[in-house]
Amino acid sequence: MENVAKPTSINLLSPDSTRFLISNLCSILETYLKPVEVREVYCAYLYGAEAHEGQSRQSGEPYIYHPLAVAKTMAEMRMDAQSIIAAILHDVIEDTVTIKSQIDEEFGTEVAQLVDGVSKLTHLTFKTRIEAQAENFQKMMLAMVKDVRVVMIKLADRLHNMRTLGAMLPHKRWRIARETLEIYAPIAQRLGMNTIRVELEQLGFQHLYPMRFKVLETAVNRSRGNRKELMKKVEATICHRLEEVGIEARIYGREKNLYSIYKKMRHKRLSFRDVYDVFAIRMVVKDVDTCYRALGTIHNLYKPVPGKFKDYIAIPKANGYQSLHTILFGPHGILIEVQVRSDEMDRVAQVGIAAHWLYKTGDRVNARAQARTREWLKNILELQKSAGSSLEFLEHVKVDLFPDEVYVFTPAGEIRALPRGATAVDYGYSVHTDIGNSCIAAKIDRRLAPLSSVLQSGQTVEVITAPRAQPNPLWLNFVATGKARSNIRHHLKNLKQGEALHLGRRLLNKSLARYNLSIKKLNGQQIDDLLNDLHVETFQILLEEIGLGNRMAQLIARRLGNPQIKTPKVSKKSAESKPLPIKGTEGMVLQYGKCCYPIPGDPIIGIMNAGRGLVIHRENCRNVTDDRKRPDKWVQVYWSNNVEGEYTAIIRTLAYNQTGMLASLAAKISDQDSNIENVTLDERDGSTTNITFQLAVKNRKHLAHIMRLIRKTPQVYKVMRTRG
Ligand code: MN
């Protein structure tokens, strides 16, 4: 439904055509920019010409032709000075940091950021051939840019590359053409930039399917010859009628874009005649009111085809496009497609988002790019509101321009969408639950990265798994997806249940030993009676409850030992004779008090805590004084001989201030195979510092050894273990 711009050829230029190109550009700019801005653009040209000095394009032209052509496309859309300058400089960066900071200095941060944004998109390559991925790739590109002008420059860049594609090798040409049709033309469409979109499609089609293009072109030319006269007559009749009723209008006969004919034939399985045998006319008038009057006039002239009238003025298209569309029965039964629109709408239809770029008041100083884009969205929203229809389209546009999602590549080049803020762990779970559950590390852009790394659009992500790895409860602090969260919780719950069951069994056996009993020796009747008594469904649930600290093993053992006694007497001392060994492998149902940080070797006591299970404290911990008076709450425990794992201990060090001291202490600690989990520094006065280390140690001996070494350091005058 679009008319095709006559390709502008740069082959007509004289040998000193660089000068021609820049003066041509400047004369366009002078029509809408301030002289000082035009001068700045000229400076950018001098800068760019020097940067590309000696380089030439595949076609043999000096390189600077290309950026100037890109800038001209931007100027034709009346884009601001920054965009024009960035367009001229868009190819100079190529990874050199110095040049980026130079551009920043000479042309300002905004231009530097635009140029940088374009370079980033240039380095993003679309590898996969799966068609469904193309849309994700479009979204990825849009998600990567903070300023929509970057996309506009990229589209202008692609347009010029397509115009000069003939110089490329066939396989490259084919790849670039396909990418243009699948990625760039749809993006141009989303932004409403139809003039660019139509040309991208035309050129893409021509290079990707040269044979089909030729066949269609020939067919179009043939039918055009046949109908020229008739077409002219219709136009003249309409013109005449409009004049009679006093409506001023510009009337264009339109030709359909070959690619859109091709697509229609393909998708709707129509013959060339069905698609093409329609006349198309566009009428541009001065305002909305005139649009409807003009429509009424032509409906009076030719009968409209029922059901074909569309009012895109009242209900604009998602990208802001507005027009009245209708189809008429013309003379000799031919169909005439008509679009009626105002000048304003015509401009939007051609350049889309760019139409909203410069403020008409001339006040265009320093409005931020984001604000302008929002302005564009707001304009569209206003249009839509006045039409009183759904907001669905806004969702569509908003998602496209400010996505709440990030798009990353799998190692195989597939694209995955994740919510903003998603981490490597979320990625793992998005691939497969098992992968999430067993991931231990991540690679981002082929480099090792923490699992908590927040992903950015365009990155390639891979997670490394280990067969027996398990989810870490700490992941819950940073995962962003519901899938990851629920899977981690589910896994931890299962894990905790298993561990609770195990601990519950140990605690009950220990308590039963006093009555010369054990779980194995219990018969079915005993267990059934017990469960009935306690109103618990299964023995397994009962053991879990014991392990979680919700029920006391001693009471249950007593019931089983002396079934007559329903309310047991509590002796002053602990009812237990045999203490419970702590192995360090109990898992989540056993915790170590954060008040006293017990480590193997410390005298300890266990306190049953409802829901949390068994908490181990140092015997002299102040927090357990009350609980000790209640024998049903505490359990005798001791460190098993072969206790495993690492335990947190806190030591405080007082030392005289000296540079590098913290580093040397830290080195001593890690030399002893201890991890520093946390350090806090607190300068007491000018001369001394209080350093608190939170360490992971194996046992008391290990800790004592470390403390001895620290004490030997000359600047240190005091080291002590604290209770937390
Ligand atoms: Mn370029």
Side-chain angles (χ1 to χ4, degrees), residues 668-705:
K668 276 184 189 174
I669 292 169
S670 52
D671 273 353
Q672 298 312 311
D673 267 347
S674 166
N675 256 332
I676 300 175
E677 291 167 348
N678 196 8
V679 184
T680 50
L681 283 173
D682 168 27
E683 207 168 290
R684 308 185 90 195
D685 49 57
S687 60
T688 61
T689 306
N690 183 352
I691 311 170
T692 308
F693 289 103
Q694 185 177 320
L695 305 175
V697 295
K698 292 188 191 76
N699 48 41
R700 267 176 90 96
K701 222 173 123 191
H702 187 196
L703 179 66
H705 185 65

Side-chain angles (χ1 to χ4, degrees), residues 36-107:
V36 54
E37 290 174 318
V38 180
R39 263 202 300 284
E40 229 182 306
V41 170
Y42 193 81
C43 289
Y45 153 68
L46 293 176
Y47 185 96
E50 196 180 289
H52 292 301
E53 178 71 57
Q55 298 173 6
S56 55
R57 301 201 87 214
Q58 205 80 41
S59 55
E61 310 161 315
Y63 198 91
I64 191 71
Y65 278 29
H66 165 67
L68 281 178
V70 175
K72 191 181 167 208
T73 301
M74 297 296 282
E76 282 162 354
M77 296 188 294
R78 299 167 63 88
M79 290 301 294
D80 59 347
Q82 276 92 359
S83 313
I84 307 288
I85 294 172
I88 292 177
L89 302 176
H90 83 268
D91 271 336
V92 304
I93 277 201
E94 282 300 326
D95 287 336
T96 28
V97 184
T98 35
I99 292 184
K100 193 187 171 191
S101 60
Q102 259 180 39
I103 292 178
D104 194 323
E105 236 166 70
E106 302 228 359
F107 304 101

